[in-house]
């Protein structure tokens, strides 16, 4: 046989090996066993969907609550806590040998207004807000001590956009407490559960400007004495960007700070950020499926190359059906960002990721 036939034949055999592994219940978590944990975010009702439960058990060894642990859902009013959804997730994980990530303790979004106000709706003082932050952190981390591997202590604190010397987003946390609100949050978290891992998590971490700001922020937190175990790069990417080079630069830049890197919210939209149409409702062209599979393969190759510093790769959802990208940034548009389709069937990208040659 000539080389022209042998090479494609070899590629087909490798993909078939990936397919057979994916079908014989060897999951992603087994495939990447020596590299990193493989996780999925799960919403409120995932346990009612037996197909999703099967996928979770086969492929994932760590879960992130999609909303259940955020301030608004878990602590909707000053004296009201809603622990049940989080307790259920933790119990499910425990009985299926999975770990859990706490997401998230301090964030500008999905945090009710009352958090920042007194009973007369007047802004709290710095001291009052710090106390409220500490009580919240103590209550959540105290309840799940020993049951949660690590927490996104602060989510999305870094400013977007090019034209500023500032590092931090001007959130209410920052306005009331000041720039040290992150240092305070990490200090409270460390006190609340000294054994939990502590993470800083953000999006667009491959954008050079935002990456530099994040590096400066982490350095300043470390200088202030904070324990930061990992930087979470959310990884809400699309089939066109960011480039592999920028992803790699960020992995290296963060790991050089002496912290681990986690890909915490991975999905791959079929749309670039300016596209507004609903192009893939009826069908997806082969070329687009191909592009998504190629890119998933390339980024997982890259993750494997840097497995010494990457501790975890978590997908933001399990199947395309329940992805948040069906409603963001365009409401009710059909997107297909994950490894399993709307019927919970594996997509070509899964087989490409699970090739032995990866
Ligand atoms: C951010 C948050 C997540 C989630 C996604 C969108 O990335 O960290 O909790 O809200 O946005 O679903």
């Amino acid at each position: 046989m000539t080389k022209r036939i042998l090479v494609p034949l070899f590629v087909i055999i490798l993909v078939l090996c990936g397919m057979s592994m994916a079908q014989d219940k060897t999951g992603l978590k087994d495939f990447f066993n020596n590299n990193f944990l493989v996780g999925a975010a799960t919403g409120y009702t995932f346990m009612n969907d037996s197909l999703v439960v099967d996928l979770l058990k086969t492929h994932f060894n760590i879960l992130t609550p999609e909303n259940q642990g955020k301030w608004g859902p878990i602590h909707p009013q000053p004296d009201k806590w809603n622990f049940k959804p989080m307790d259920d997730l933790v119990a499910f994980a425990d009985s299926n040998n999975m770990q859990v990530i706490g997401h998230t303790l301090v964030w500008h979004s999905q945090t009710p207004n009352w958090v920042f106000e007194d009973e007369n709706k007047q802004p709290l003082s710095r001291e009052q807000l710090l106390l409220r932050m500490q009580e919240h952190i103590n209550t959540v981390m105290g309840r799940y001590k020993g049951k949660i591997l690590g927490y996104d202590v602060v989510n999305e604190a870094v400013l977007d956009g090019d034209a500023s010397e500032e590092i931090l987003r001007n959130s209410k946390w920052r306005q009331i407490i000041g720039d040290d609100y992150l240092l305070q949050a990490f200090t409270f978290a460390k006190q609340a559960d000294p054994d939990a891992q502590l993470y800083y998590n953000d999006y667009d971490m491959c954008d050079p400007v935002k990456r530099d700001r994040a590096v400066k922020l982490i350095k300043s937190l470390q200088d202030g004495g904070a324990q930061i175990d990992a930087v979470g790069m959310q990884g809400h990417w699309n089939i066109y960007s960011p480039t592999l080079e920028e992803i790699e630069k960020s992995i290296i830049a963060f790991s050089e700070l002496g912290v681990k890197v986690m890909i915490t919210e991975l999905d791959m939209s079929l749309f670039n950020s300016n596209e507004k149409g609903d192009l893939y409702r009826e069908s997806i062209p082969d070329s687009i499926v191909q592009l998504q599979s190629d890119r998933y393969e390339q980024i997982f190759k890259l993750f494997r190359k840097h497995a010494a510093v990457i501790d975890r790769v978590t997908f933001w959802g399990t199947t395309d059906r329940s992805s948040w990208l069906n409603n963001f940034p365009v409401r009710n548009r059909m997107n297909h960002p994950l490894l399993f389709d709307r019927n919970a069937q594996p997509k070509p990208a899964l087989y490409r990721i699970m090739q032995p040659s990866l």
Side-chain angles (χ1 to χ4, degrees):
M1 269 191 273
T2 66
K3 203 171 160 199
R4 273 180 41 214
I5 299 178
L6 274 176
V7 171
L9 198 63
F10 183 61
V11 171
I12 289 169
I13 290 171
L14 287 179
V15 171
L16 286 176
C17 284
M19 284 178 75
S20 88
M21 263 203 265
Q23 276 156 8
D24 74 7
K25 294 263 172 194
T26 302
L28 287 163
K29 66 175 176 5
D30 310 302
F31 188 79
F32 292 106
N33 191 22
N34 295 324
N35 304 132
F36 35 72
L37 296 166
V38 185
T42 48
Y44 285 98
T45 56
F46 77 94
M47 275 174 260
N48 305 336
D49 186 336
S50 62
L51 292 176
V52 167
V53 167
D54 280 351
L55 289 181
L56 290 171
K57 289 182 184 172
T58 304
H59 289 284
F60 301 97
N61 46 19
I62 188 157
L63 302 180
T64 304
E66 193 169 352
N67 286 294
Q68 302 89 313
K70 294 173 179 171
W71 194 309
I74 204 169
H75 190 180
Q77 288 163 29
D79 297 319
K80 187 165 177 242
W81 289 86
N82 179 25
F83 292 120
K84 177 133 186 356
M86 193 64 202
D87 288 356
D88 290 349
L89 186 148
V90 168
F92 172 90
D94 190 43
S95 54
N96 289 290
N97 263 327
M98 298 169 179
Q99 305 198 73
V100 178
I101 294 295
H103 176 78
T104 174
L105 296 169
V106 176
W107 190 23
H108 64 278
S109 180
Q110 291 186 258
T111 303
N113 285 337
W114 68 259
V115 174
F116 306 100
E117 297 169 350
D118 65 17
E119 37 314 333
N120 302 317
K121 301 209 177 300
Q122 294 307 303
L124 294 186
S125 67
R126 165 183 161 91
E127 293 313 320
Q128 287 169 321
L129 186 55
L130 279 172
L131 192 60
R132 194 160 271 180
M133 178 200 267
Q134 184 172 24
E135 281 168 358
H136 178 86
I137 291 176
N138 281 346
T139 306
V140 174
M141 294 185 77
R143 186 177 183 91
Y144 300 110
K145 219 177 221 172
K147 296 181 181 158
I148 287 197
L149 176 70
Y151 284 84
D152 294 330
V153 177
V154 182
N155 200 31
E156 303 182 345
V158 174
L159 186 68
D160 292 322
D162 292 348
S164 174
E165 293 299 309
E166 298 271 345
I167 292 181
L168 295 178
R169 171 195 300 278
N170 201 17
S171 66
K172 287 192 184 155
W173 292 110
R174 182 186 181 218
Q175 289 169 28
I176 296 176
I177 297 176
D179 285 0
D180 68 331
Y181 84 88
L182 290 103
L183 186 57
Q184 301 282 349
F186 276 91
T187 307
F188 294 151
K190 177 71 186 166
Q191 288 164 357
D193 182 356
D195 296 327
Q197 297 179 3
L198 307 179
Y199 318 132
Y200 175 72
N201 192 50
D202 213 325
Y203 62 90
D204 274 356
M205 296 285 257
C206 301
D207 171 77
V209 174
K210 199 155 172 183
R211 173 172 57 228
D212 286 352
R213 286 184 186 144
V215 165
K216 284 187 188 139
L217 170 65
I218 304 299
K219 272 197 185 132
S220 75
L221 292 171
Q222 290 172 324
D223 290 346
Q227 170 190 314
I228 300 185
D229 296 291
V231 169
M233 297 168 52
Q234 291 186 357
H236 293 297
W237 297 331
N238 65 48
I239 55 175
Y240 309 104
S241 76
T243 63
L244 289 177
E245 289 72 24
E246 294 301 342
I247 297 173
E248 185 164 35
K249 277 189 199 166
S250 294
I251 295 171
I252 292 171
F254 295 130
S255 65
E256 282 177 355
L257 296 168
V259 299
K260 294 289 185 189
V261 174
M262 292 177 172
I263 312 296
T264 54
E265 305 186 15
L266 182 61
D267 46 26
M268 197 189 292
S269 171
L270 298 191
F271 301 91
N272 74 37
S273 44
N274 307 319
E275 263 169 8
K276 295 282 174 261
D278 189 4
L279 297 176
Y280 309 120
R281 182 165 285 278
E282 301 307 327
S283 64
I284 313 172
D286 287 348
S287 59
I288 296 291
V289 174
Q290 186 67 33
L291 201 53
Q292 189 181 45
S293 314
D294 288 349
R295 223 163 116 69
Y296 262 123
E297 177 179 336
Q298 289 156 358
I299 64 173
F300 271 83
K301 250 194 185 134
L302 185 66
F303 295 162
R304 236 191 183 174
K305 176 177 168 195
H306 292 284
V309 297
I310 297 180
D311 268 9
R312 169 171 63 98
V313 177
T314 287
F315 289 85
W316 205 245
T318 312
T319 75
D320 286 342
R321 185 150 51 93
S322 51
S323 165
W324 73 298
L325 290 173
N326 294 307
N327 282 301
F328 183 88
V330 175
R331 275 200 79 73
N332 198 23
R333 167 168 77 177
M334 207 176 266
N335 209 332
H336 311 262
L338 296 164
L339 297 180
F340 300 94
D341 68 15
R342 283 179 160 62
N343 301 314
Q345 296 307 303
K347 291 160 59 174
L350 179 77
Y351 304 128
R352 296 284 293 280
I353 289 179
M354 291 179 68
Q355 293 174 70
S357 65
L358 188 84

